[in-house]
Amino acid sequence: MRFGKVICGGIAAVALTSVAFAGGHGGADPSIGARQAVMSLYGYNLGILGAMAKGEVEYNAEVAAATAANFAALAGLDKSGMWPEGTAQGEVDGTRAAAKIWEDQEGFFKIFADQKAAADTLAATAGDGVEALQAGLGGVGRSCGACHEVYRGPRN
Amino acid sequence: MRFGKVICGGIAAVALTSVAFAGGHGGADPSIGARQAVMSLYGYNLGILGAMAKGEVEYNAEVAAATAANFAALAGLDKSGMWPEGTAQGEVDGTRAAAKIWEDQEGFFKIFADQKAAADTLAATAGDGVEALQAGLGGVGRSCGACHEVYRGPRN
C-alpha cells in the first residue's frame, strides 16, 4: 500500500505528515510506521496511567478514565493490515516484528483480542481509584508482555 | 509528564518503545510524540482511503469500512492533554504546533469535534461504494485543512 495523490488538500497534508513522520524507514511500507505509531500511543497512555498507579503523579479520576478510554480505543483499532508479508525483522530495517507473527497469525491476533478485553476492563474501572487502576493495568500489562515475549525480535 | 518506572514488565516494555519512538525530540514532552503519532495514523488511514477514492487501489468495501472505522476511533481520542503549554513551535524543536493553538483553545478543539462528526459519517458510509467514500473523505478533508491552515506553523 502506497500513499498516492489524494483527493483534497487537507488529506494530502495529513498524508504528507505521515510520510515525513515515517521518514526513518525511507521507502518502506507505511504499515511499519503505522504499527509503531500505535505502539507509541499505547506507551504514551500507559505511561500516564502507570505514573499514577505508582504514585509518581497524583491520581486523578477524570484523567485516568479519559486516558484509559483512549487506550481502549487504540486497543480496538483493526490491526489486521498493519503486519503485511515481507515486513519482518531481517526482511526490512527498523522493525522488531518477529517472523513468528507470520508463522502464527492466529496466536498473534488473539493477543490483541485479549488485550482489547483487558483494555475495556481498565477503561471501565480506571476512574474508581488508584487500586482499581493498578488492577486494570495489571491485566493490560500481561497482554503487552505476552506479545512481546513471543512476537518481538531482539534489539538491533 | 514523564515516563517513570512503571508497574510491570509488559507496560515498561511498551513505555520504552514509546520513549525510543519519540527519541528525535530528546527529553521533550512525550505529548509531542503522541500528537504526531496520532497525525501519522490519521495519514496512514486516510492514505489507504484516498488511494481507493482515486482509483489507484481497487475499492474494497470491507477494507474501506474497517479503515474508516479506525479513523473514526482515532478522531474520537481525547486529545485535550496532547498540546500542553510550552510545546509550541519556537518553544521546542520538532513541532509545527502554532502559538494560535494556545491563543484559541476553543476554536482548536472545536475543529476536532467537527472532525469526529465527519469521521463518523465517513465510517457509516465508506462501505457503500466509491462515490460514498469520496463524499465522506471530502468532509474529513475540510476539517484537516481547516486546522492546518490556522493552527500549524511553517516548515522548519
Side-chain angles (χ1 to χ4, degrees):
Chain A
M1 188 75 65
R2 297 281 168 197
F3 289 98
K5 290 173 191 170
V6 283
I7 64 170
C8 78
I11 292 175
V14 171
L16 287 170
T17 300
S18 176
V19 170
F21 186 73
H25 303 293
D29 193 301
S31 62
I32 297 171
R35 67 202 192 201
Q36 291 178 346
V38 170
M39 291 299 121
S40 173
L41 288 167
Y42 274 22
Y44 174 71
N45 287 287
L46 295 177
I48 292 170
L49 295 170
M52 277 191 211
K54 287 183 63 73
E56 295 171 352
V57 170
E58 190 175 0
Y59 176 78
N60 178 309
E62 190 179 349
V63 172
T67 305
N70 275 359
F71 179 71
L74 294 162
L77 293 176
D78 178 354
K79 301 177 182 72
S80 58
M82 290 187 181
W83 282 268
E85 293 274 356
T87 64
Q89 186 175 42
E91 294 179 308
V92 293
D93 288 337
T95 179
R96 293 174 66 191
K100 181 80 177 173
I101 291 170
W102 290 271
E103 295 162 12
D104 179 20
Q105 288 267 291
E106 189 176 345
F108 180 60
F109 286 107
K110 170 71 163 59
I111 292 180
F112 284 116
D114 292 345
Q115 182 169 62
K116 172 60 173 160
D120 286 344
T121 298
L122 174 66
T125 56
D128 296 340
V130 70
E131 290 183 12
L133 173 61
Q134 290 165 343
L137 281 175
V140 168
R142 280 187 288 279
S143 65
C144 299
C147 196
H148 289 161
E149 193 175 321
V150 178
Y151 300 102
R152 187 169 64 166
R155 290 187 186 282
N156 293 299
Chain B
M1 188 76 66
R2 297 282 167 196
F3 289 98
K5 290 174 189 170
V6 284
I7 65 169
C8 78
I11 293 175
V14 172
L16 287 170
T17 300
S18 176
V19 170
F21 186 73
H25 304 294
D29 193 302
S31 61
I32 297 172
R35 67 204 192 200
Q36 292 177 346
V38 171
M39 292 298 121
S40 173
L41 287 167
Y42 274 22
Y44 174 71
N45 287 287
L46 295 177
I48 292 169
L49 294 170
M52 276 191 211
K54 288 182 64 74
E56 294 171 352
V57 170
E58 189 175 359
Y59 176 78
N60 177 310
E62 189 179 349
V63 173
T67 305
N70 275 359
F71 179 71
L74 294 162
L77 292 176
D78 178 354
K79 302 176 182 72
S80 58
M82 289 188 182
W83 282 267
E85 293 273 355
T87 64
Q89 186 175 40
E91 294 180 308
V92 293
D93 289 337
T95 179
R96 293 174 65 191
K100 180 80 176 171
I101 290 170
W102 290 270
E103 296 162 11
D104 180 20
Q105 289 266 292
E106 189 177 346
F108 179 62
F109 286 107
K110 170 72 163 59
I111 292 180
F112 284 116
D114 293 346
Q115 183 169 61
K116 172 59 174 161
D120 287 343
T121 298
L122 175 66
T125 57
D128 296 341
V130 70
E131 290 183 12
L133 172 62
Q134 290 165 343
L137 280 175
V140 168
R142 280 187 287 279
S143 66
C144 300
C147 195
H148 289 160
E149 193 175 320
V150 177
Y151 300 102
R152 186 168 64 166
R155 289 187 186 284
N156 293 298

